[in-house]
Amino acid sequence: MSNQYFRNACRLIFLFIALFCFCSNGYGQQGSETKIRLDQVGFYPDAPKIAVILSANDSLFYVQTAEKTTVFTGHLKKSVKPDFAGDYTLIGDFTAFHKTGKYLLFVPGLGYSYPFEINKNVHREIAAASIKAYYFMRASTALDPKFAGKWARAEGHPDTVVLVHPSAASDKRPAGTVISSPRGWYDAGDYNKYIVNSGISTSTLLSLYEDFPAYMKAVKLNIPESGNGVPDILNEVLWNLRWMLTMQDPNDGGVYHKLTNAEFDKFEMPDKATAPRYVVQKGTAATLDFAAVMAQASRIFRKFPNELPGLADSCLKAANSAWDWANKKPNIAYEQNAINQKFNPKINTGAYGDRYFSDEFIWAASELTVTTNLPKYLEGIKLLPDDRMPLPTWSQVRLLGYYTLVKNAGTYSVKELPEIKKRLITFADSLVAGAHETAYETAMDKSRRNFNWGSNSIAGNEGVALIQAYKLTGDAKYLAYALDNLDYLLGRNGTGYCYVTGYGFKPSMNPHHRPSQSDGVVDPVPGLLVGGPNPGMQDGVKLPSTVPDEAYIDDYHAYAANEIAINWNAPLAYLANALEALQDKLKPVN
Ligand code: 9MR
Ligand code: 9MR
């Protein structure tokens, strides 16, 4: 990544400028840069450009070159509403400045921002890195320096000897049966592999390809499969998809909830973590999520018959047998506490427990319908069970079904389709309404309820929903609000962090991620989105603030605010790549 050198050079230059300002007792102040919050990666020439300033004595701000030549002067505007701490912010809008180059923002009495770039393709590198991040999460393979650079590591978790846990015992596979279930991505900072969370993550990446095939075909990731005729994003998805296929019991079509240790590993490299691995109880959520992903994968991989012969058929067959299992067993929750009362060893890793399956049924039925063009899957499914439009998360996947139905409209007929379209647009409108009145001018900052475990994925998933609305309506306003949320993740937020490792001038450096903490390399594995502000403190780490959007600490102990996870990276990848693909459509909103 050649731009890394550029960034390091910029950091140095910036430090010199800061030092100069400080020593010469000039108009700068140490630490001032942290009070100017902006997308630390940069801006598109013709798109909106917003900086949020925490305090200022003056009403003007300046865009300057590194030589301190002013190229743009703007008026600071007080935010319409205060932030969650009750303080108003100042908005510096330099949308009207279009010239490409490298700049700093100067606020009299405060000082300089971090340097930033205005350019086409400005998020291209971070967008690709957010997908490459999955390569770094691969289980069952060594990471070669050719692809992994200084983050190369030995193979961890071959997962060729995995035990059927007593909770998953069946006639044909009694407890203790050995199965092979290699590959897949580690879920997060831990080394376990969970089907439910893999479902939404894998699907979001597949959708990124499905929605932007031309753009995504050109994204090169430098992974072992690169150049094999399959787009790299699909190559990466295949690593997890092939693992998912092994999680289905071929005897009945049911899918094990997860492949896991009994207890979380200590902080050590993957090859050192060799505790026994189990597949646990099959469940309805896992089986339906699996069916949905396999159905979607089938229609995508059908276009690569020569490179991947038979794969599309295998996926569809797997999807159908999973669907049949779930219809026979529509209500099997994964209840870890109850399981631990009955069986040994007790399993104390992530639960991803979900007790409501109507959304999983909607999603799986939608994917199967679109892939097969057969009406039978939607028979008996209430596509509109209530008025809600819940933003997707690992436990709530209804909208993933809606997105799929809407973008494939025309291939078959679903009577609820006009209503679903209307609701998606109304939902996007509800996200943008009042977003620019918040202290950071983002949809993300509208509600304190957004700030829970993995809050950054909410910013990402809102962005995905807004891009769906753009695709549905062609209205560029939705793209501008999607960009606001990307800006949020990259620095225009309540802490001033760029929440993606390896990018920006103040990135998260200490994620709760076992390899990043154990590999002896100072820089964390790049391209990973941390969970972000969460006042819940479920990890017991005291946060510097409990204000919702400031409740964050860059400390690896803080897994409730600073872990990384595949289901958080996926919406970032979707958002950043989609905006790159659509950058020419971006324009200011009035
Ligand atoms: O590392 C684990 C992380 O992946 C999980 O999200 C988190 C919550 O389930 O748990 C982490 O593991 C911790 C465990 O729960 C308690 N002991 C310390 C472990 C590592 O910090
Ligand atoms: O993302 C999950 C979050 O919604 C839950 O509140 C939390 C506690 O159950 O678990 C999170 O998922 C973790 C999973 O259980 C284990 N691997 C790490 C995941 C991210 O922290």
Side-chain angles (χ1 to χ4, degrees):
M1 297 200 176
S2 61
N3 272 4
Q4 208 146 336
Y5 295 102
F6 166 68
R7 270 196 308 278
N8 284 337
C10 275
R11 270 198 196 111
L12 264 178
I13 294 169
F14 172 72
L15 280 175
F16 277 122
I17 295 177
L19 204 68
F20 172 79
C21 291
F22 187 65
C23 298
S24 66
N25 222 356
Y27 37 99
Q29 229 178 308
Q30 208 179 27
S32 61
E33 71 278 3
T34 61
K35 293 189 175 169
I36 304 174
R37 308 277 166 87
L38 44 70
D39 182 330
Q40 294 167 27
V41 176
F43 301 87
Y44 297 112
D46 299 321
K49 299 174 204 72
I50 301 282
V52 173
I53 289 116
L54 298 196
S55 66
N57 309 331
D58 200 30
S59 61
L60 294 179
F61 74 99
Y62 305 89
V63 179
Q64 296 189 348
T65 62
E67 298 78 33
K68 294 196 184 158
T69 309
T70 296
V71 290
F72 179 86
T73 305
H75 284 269
L76 293 171
K77 182 195 84 182
K78 191 176 151 194
S79 62
V80 177
K81 289 187 181 151
D83 62 17
F84 294 111
D87 300 318
Y88 289 85
T89 61
L90 295 158
I91 310 293
D93 186 338
F94 53 109
T95 303
F97 181 69
H98 301 277
K99 198 160 174 278
T100 59
K102 284 157 197 142
Y103 305 100
L104 302 150
L105 226 67
F106 176 64
V107 180
L110 194 62
Y112 283 93
S113 72
Y114 300 110
F116 59 87
E117 197 176 347
I118 298 181
N119 215 339
K120 284 193 179 300
N121 312 331
V122 76
H123 295 115
R124 187 147 295 185
E125 194 187 329
I126 195 172
S130 65
I131 309 173
K132 174 78 179 255
Y134 290 85
Y135 166 73
F136 290 110
M137 300 291 277
R138 287 185 184 190
S140 320
T141 186
L143 304 189
D144 190 306
K146 216 164 109 201
F147 311 112
K150 62 183 173 185
W151 299 282
R153 58 168 170 79
E155 174 181 347
H157 304 89
D159 285 342
T160 44
V161 178
V162 175
L163 302 170
V164 173
H165 186 259
S167 64
S170 60
D171 289 350
K172 298 226 167 88
R173 286 184 168 183
T177 304
V178 172
I179 68 166
S180 178
S181 190
R183 301 195 180 89
W185 300 313
Y186 296 127
D187 183 58
D190 63 320
Y191 292 141
N192 304 298
K193 306 190 290 196
Y194 308 78
I195 284 288
V196 166
N197 205 41
S198 263
I200 183 169
S201 311
T202 308
S203 171
T204 301
L205 295 179
L206 283 171
S207 295
L208 172 57
Y209 176 79
E210 211 175 10
D211 294 354
F212 302 96
Y215 177 81
M216 289 313 305
K217 274 180 190 150
V219 173
K220 305 274 187 284
L221 300 177
N222 184 31
I223 55 179
E225 301 77 11
S226 294
N228 66 356
V230 177
D232 273 353
I233 183 172
L234 296 183
N235 278 322
E236 192 49 56
V237 160
L238 275 169
W239 191 263
N240 202 55
L241 198 79
R242 292 196 194 281
W243 164 66
M244 288 181 78
L245 282 166
T246 68
M247 289 292 280
Q248 182 173 46
D249 182 348
N251 301 301
D252 64 4
V255 176
Y256 302 108
H257 188 73
K258 58 176 170 176
L259 189 163
T260 184
N261 305 344
E263 304 287 339
F264 284 114
D265 291 301
K266 8 186 245 266
F267 267 59
E268 57 194 355
M269 289 304 279
D271 59 306
K272 300 287 182 298
T274 54
R277 307 269 272 179
Y278 301 89
V279 288
V280 300
Q281 186 204 279
K282 296 165 195 163
T284 305
T287 304
L288 287 170
D289 288 346
F290 172 100
V293 170
M294 291 304 159
Q296 183 183 18
S298 173
R299 68 173 180 269
I300 292 170
F301 288 112
R302 176 114 16 230
K303 306 216 167 101
F304 299 88
N306 301 323
E307 294 84 356
L308 300 162
L311 180 67
D313 289 337
S314 304
C315 290
L316 188 55
K317 199 166 154 249
N320 269 312
S321 56
W323 174 255
D324 291 342
W325 187 93
N327 277 282
K328 278 183 226 139
K329 304 194 176 194
N331 220 354
I332 311 262
Y334 179 76
E335 309 222 43
Q336 195 154 275
N337 290 338
I339 288 172
N340 284 345
Q341 307 283 308
K342 283 203 243 162
F343 302 110
N344 277 310
K346 297 193 191 322
I347 303 289
N348 288 315
T349 52
Y352 287 119
D354 181 7
R355 283 177 294 138
Y356 305 98
F357 309 116
S358 67
D359 54 311
E360 283 81 8
F361 271 105
I362 289 175
W363 183 31
S366 301
E367 299 293 352
L368 277 157
T369 304
V370 164
T371 296
T372 61
N373 259 309
L374 298 172
K376 65 176 179 184
Y377 303 100
L378 281 171
E379 281 161 14
I381 297 287
K382 272 202 191 122
L383 268 178
L384 301 166
D386 54 46
D387 293 342
R388 293 171 56 236
M389 288 295 282
L391 193 74
T393 70
W394 59 264
S395 59
Q396 178 42 267
V397 292
R398 188 202 299 187
L399 262 57
L400 303 184
Y402 290 178
Y403 296 163
T404 286
L405 290 175
V406 162
K407 67 195 177 208
N408 293 284
T411 47
Y412 60 88
S413 85
V414 171
K415 65 177 184 314
E416 294 89 345
L417 206 57
E419 177 62 20
I420 291 176
K421 282 188 189 168
K422 204 175 93 195
R423 286 190 189 191
L424 282 174
I425 297 166
T426 310
F427 176 55
D429 287 338
S430 76
L431 290 177
V432 309
H436 284 174
E437 293 173 9
T438 68
Y440 289 88
E441 295 213 346
T442 69
M444 180 60 186
D445 286 286
K446 282 175 58 174
S447 169
R448 55 176 63 230
R449 284 195 306 274
N450 287 345
F451 297 91
N452 53 27
W453 195 319
S455 65
N456 281 340
S457 69
I458 295 194
N461 278 313
E462 287 182 345
V464 175
L466 291 166
I467 287 166
Q468 300 303 313
Y470 165 77
K471 285 177 69 74
L472 206 50
T473 60
D475 187 341
K477 124 184 127 186
Y478 298 116
L479 291 182
Y481 286 94
L483 180 62
D484 287 328
N485 270 15
L486 183 61
D487 289 345
Y488 169 91
L489 292 173
L490 306 185
R492 196 173 110 204
N493 59 48
T495 66
Y497 274 94
C498 172
Y499 292 123
V500 181
T501 56
Y503 289 84
F505 279 80
K506 193 191 177 188
S508 300
M509 287 296 286
N510 307 293
H512 185 93
H513 177 230
R514 282 164 173 75
S516 290
Q517 300 310 327
S518 317
D519 60 7
V521 178
V522 172
D523 291 328
V525 168
L528 295 169
L529 178 67
V530 298
N534 166 23
M537 293 192 263
Q538 292 88 341
D539 46 38
V541 177
K542 196 171 171 339
L543 297 174
S545 166
T546 53
V547 173
D549 65 332
E550 298 176 33
Y552 173 73
I553 190 165
D554 183 20
D555 176 337
Y556 80 89
H557 298 96
Y559 54 76
N562 210 33
E563 189 162 356
I564 57 92
I566 56 173
N567 63 315
W568 305 337
N569 248 74
L572 167 69
Y574 188 105
L575 180 58
N577 285 282
L579 287 172
E580 272 294 307
L582 295 168
Q583 59 182 290
D584 293 339
K585 313 278 185 219
L586 272 160
K587 55 178 193 223
V589 249
N590 301 312

